[in-house]
Short mmCIF file of all heavy atoms in Angstrom, two decimals:
data_model
loop_
_atom_site.label_atom_id
_atom_site.label_comp_id
_atom_site.label_asym_id
_atom_site.label_seq_id
_atom_site.Cartn_x
_atom_site.Cartn_y
_atom_site.Cartn_z
N LYS R 43 3.02 15.58 -34.00
CA LYS R 43 2.33 16.49 -34.90
C LYS R 43 3.19 16.89 -36.09
O LYS R 43 2.69 17.39 -37.12
CB LYS R 43 1.93 17.77 -34.14
CG LYS R 43 0.96 17.54 -32.98
CD LYS R 43 -0.41 17.15 -33.46
CE LYS R 43 -1.38 17.09 -32.29
NZ LYS R 43 -2.74 16.66 -32.72
N LEU R 44 4.52 16.70 -35.95
CA LEU R 44 5.47 17.09 -37.04
C LEU R 44 6.12 15.88 -37.68
O LEU R 44 7.07 16.02 -38.44
CB LEU R 44 6.53 18.04 -36.47
CG LEU R 44 6.03 19.42 -36.03
CD1 LEU R 44 7.11 20.14 -35.26
CD2 LEU R 44 5.58 20.24 -37.24
N ALA R 45 5.64 14.70 -37.37
CA ALA R 45 6.31 13.48 -37.81
C ALA R 45 5.88 13.07 -39.22
O ALA R 45 6.68 12.45 -39.95
CB ALA R 45 6.05 12.34 -36.83
N ALA R 46 4.67 13.38 -39.63
CA ALA R 46 4.13 12.90 -40.91
C ALA R 46 4.66 13.73 -42.07
O ALA R 46 5.01 14.89 -41.90
CB ALA R 46 2.63 12.91 -40.88
N ASP R 47 4.68 13.13 -43.27
CA ASP R 47 5.06 13.85 -44.45
C ASP R 47 4.07 15.00 -44.78
O ASP R 47 4.43 15.97 -45.41
CB ASP R 47 5.09 12.90 -45.68
CG ASP R 47 6.32 11.98 -45.63
OD1 ASP R 47 7.25 12.26 -44.86
OD2 ASP R 47 6.31 10.96 -46.34
N SER R 48 2.86 14.85 -44.29
CA SER R 48 1.82 15.85 -44.49
C SER R 48 1.79 16.89 -43.38
O SER R 48 0.76 17.50 -43.09
CB SER R 48 0.45 15.18 -44.60
OG SER R 48 0.15 14.48 -43.40
N ARG R 49 2.95 17.12 -42.73
CA ARG R 49 2.98 18.00 -41.56
C ARG R 49 2.46 19.40 -41.87
O ARG R 49 1.81 20.03 -41.00
CB ARG R 49 4.38 18.07 -40.97
CG ARG R 49 5.44 18.60 -41.89
CD ARG R 49 6.84 18.54 -41.21
NE ARG R 49 7.32 17.20 -41.10
CZ ARG R 49 8.10 16.60 -42.02
NH1 ARG R 49 8.43 17.24 -43.11
NH2 ARG R 49 8.49 15.39 -41.83
N HIS R 50 2.70 19.90 -43.08
CA HIS R 50 2.21 21.25 -43.41
C HIS R 50 0.66 21.28 -43.42
O HIS R 50 0.05 22.28 -43.08
CB HIS R 50 2.76 21.70 -44.78
CG HIS R 50 2.51 20.75 -45.88
ND1 HIS R 50 3.18 19.53 -46.00
CD2 HIS R 50 1.68 20.82 -46.95
CE1 HIS R 50 2.77 18.92 -47.08
NE2 HIS R 50 1.86 19.66 -47.68
N LEU R 51 0.06 20.18 -43.84
CA LEU R 51 -1.41 20.09 -43.82
C LEU R 51 -1.91 19.90 -42.40
O LEU R 51 -2.96 20.45 -42.02
CB LEU R 51 -1.87 18.93 -44.71
CG LEU R 51 -1.46 19.00 -46.17
CD1 LEU R 51 -1.93 17.75 -46.95
CD2 LEU R 51 -2.02 20.28 -46.83
N ASP R 52 -1.21 19.07 -41.62
CA ASP R 52 -1.62 18.86 -40.22
C ASP R 52 -1.54 20.18 -39.43
O ASP R 52 -2.39 20.44 -38.59
CB ASP R 52 -0.68 17.83 -39.56
CG ASP R 52 -0.76 16.48 -40.22
OD1 ASP R 52 -1.84 16.19 -40.85
OD2 ASP R 52 0.18 15.68 -40.14
N LEU R 53 -0.53 21.00 -39.76
CA LEU R 53 -0.39 22.27 -39.06
C LEU R 53 -1.52 23.24 -39.48
O LEU R 53 -1.96 24.08 -38.68
CB LEU R 53 0.96 22.90 -39.35
CG LEU R 53 2.16 22.15 -38.80
CD1 LEU R 53 3.46 22.85 -39.16
CD2 LEU R 53 2.09 22.04 -37.28
N MET R 54 -2.01 23.11 -40.70
CA MET R 54 -3.16 23.93 -41.13
C MET R 54 -4.40 23.57 -40.30
O MET R 54 -5.21 24.43 -40.00
CB MET R 54 -3.44 23.73 -42.62
CG MET R 54 -2.54 24.53 -43.53
SD MET R 54 -3.07 24.48 -45.27
CE MET R 54 -4.54 25.52 -45.22
N GLU R 55 -4.54 22.29 -39.98
CA GLU R 55 -5.68 21.87 -39.16
C GLU R 55 -5.56 22.46 -37.75
O GLU R 55 -6.55 22.91 -37.17
CB GLU R 55 -5.78 20.35 -39.11
CG GLU R 55 -6.19 19.70 -40.42
CD GLU R 55 -7.53 20.21 -40.94
OE1 GLU R 55 -8.49 20.23 -40.13
OE2 GLU R 55 -7.60 20.59 -42.10
N LEU R 56 -4.33 22.46 -37.18
CA LEU R 56 -4.14 23.05 -35.86
C LEU R 56 -4.37 24.57 -35.92
O LEU R 56 -4.86 25.16 -34.94
CB LEU R 56 -2.72 22.76 -35.39
CG LEU R 56 -2.42 21.31 -34.99
CD1 LEU R 56 -0.96 21.12 -34.66
CD2 LEU R 56 -3.29 20.91 -33.78
N GLU R 57 -4.05 25.17 -37.04
CA GLU R 57 -4.24 26.60 -37.22
C GLU R 57 -5.76 26.92 -37.11
O GLU R 57 -6.13 27.95 -36.51
CB GLU R 57 -3.73 27.01 -38.60
CG GLU R 57 -4.00 28.44 -39.00
CD GLU R 57 -3.66 28.67 -40.47
OE1 GLU R 57 -2.81 27.96 -41.02
OE2 GLU R 57 -4.26 29.56 -41.08
N LYS R 58 -6.61 26.09 -37.62
CA LYS R 58 -8.06 26.30 -37.50
C LYS R 58 -8.51 26.31 -36.06
O LYS R 58 -9.47 27.00 -35.71
CB LYS R 58 -8.80 25.23 -38.29
CG LYS R 58 -8.57 25.25 -39.79
CD LYS R 58 -9.27 24.10 -40.47
CE LYS R 58 -8.98 24.05 -41.99
NZ LYS R 58 -9.59 22.90 -42.64
N GLN R 59 -7.84 25.56 -35.24
CA GLN R 59 -8.21 25.43 -33.84
C GLN R 59 -7.58 26.50 -32.95
O GLN R 59 -8.21 27.02 -32.04
CB GLN R 59 -7.84 24.03 -33.30
CG GLN R 59 -8.27 23.78 -31.86
CD GLN R 59 -7.96 22.33 -31.43
OE1 GLN R 59 -7.49 21.54 -32.25
NE2 GLN R 59 -8.21 22.02 -30.17
N TYR R 60 -6.28 26.82 -33.23
CA TYR R 60 -5.56 27.68 -32.31
C TYR R 60 -5.22 29.08 -32.89
O TYR R 60 -4.68 29.88 -32.16
CB TYR R 60 -4.25 26.99 -31.86
CG TYR R 60 -4.47 25.73 -31.10
CD1 TYR R 60 -4.32 24.49 -31.68
CD2 TYR R 60 -4.96 25.78 -29.77
CE1 TYR R 60 -4.55 23.30 -30.95
CE2 TYR R 60 -5.19 24.63 -29.06
CZ TYR R 60 -5.00 23.40 -29.68
OH TYR R 60 -5.24 22.25 -28.93
N GLY R 61 -5.46 29.29 -34.16
CA GLY R 61 -5.18 30.60 -34.72
C GLY R 61 -3.94 30.63 -35.58
O GLY R 61 -3.26 29.64 -35.78
N LYS R 62 -3.61 31.83 -36.10
CA LYS R 62 -2.50 31.99 -37.03
C LYS R 62 -1.14 31.87 -36.38
O LYS R 62 -0.14 31.68 -37.05
CB LYS R 62 -2.58 33.38 -37.71
CG LYS R 62 -3.84 33.57 -38.58
CD LYS R 62 -3.87 32.63 -39.76
CE LYS R 62 -5.06 32.95 -40.68
NZ LYS R 62 -5.15 32.00 -41.80
N VAL R 63 -1.09 31.99 -35.04
CA VAL R 63 0.17 31.76 -34.30
C VAL R 63 -0.11 30.77 -33.17
O VAL R 63 -0.98 31.05 -32.33
CB VAL R 63 0.73 33.08 -33.75
CG1 VAL R 63 2.01 32.81 -32.95
CG2 VAL R 63 1.03 34.07 -34.87
N PHE R 64 0.56 29.65 -33.18
CA PHE R 64 0.36 28.68 -32.11
C PHE R 64 1.66 27.99 -31.76
O PHE R 64 2.65 28.14 -32.50
CB PHE R 64 -0.73 27.64 -32.45
CG PHE R 64 -0.46 26.84 -33.70
CD1 PHE R 64 0.15 25.62 -33.60
CD2 PHE R 64 -0.89 27.28 -34.93
CE1 PHE R 64 0.42 24.84 -34.72
CE2 PHE R 64 -0.67 26.52 -36.08
CZ PHE R 64 -0.01 25.30 -35.97
#
Side-chain angles (χ1 to χ4, degrees):
K43 299 290 186 182
L44 292 169
D47 287 344
S48 60
R49 60 183 71 92
H50 54 288
L51 301 177
D52 298 337
L53 293 179
M54 280 190 72
E55 291 302 311
L56 290 174
E57 175 190 334
K58 294 176 183 177
Q59 183 175 356
Y60 296 105
K62 297 296 186 182
V63 178
F64 59 93

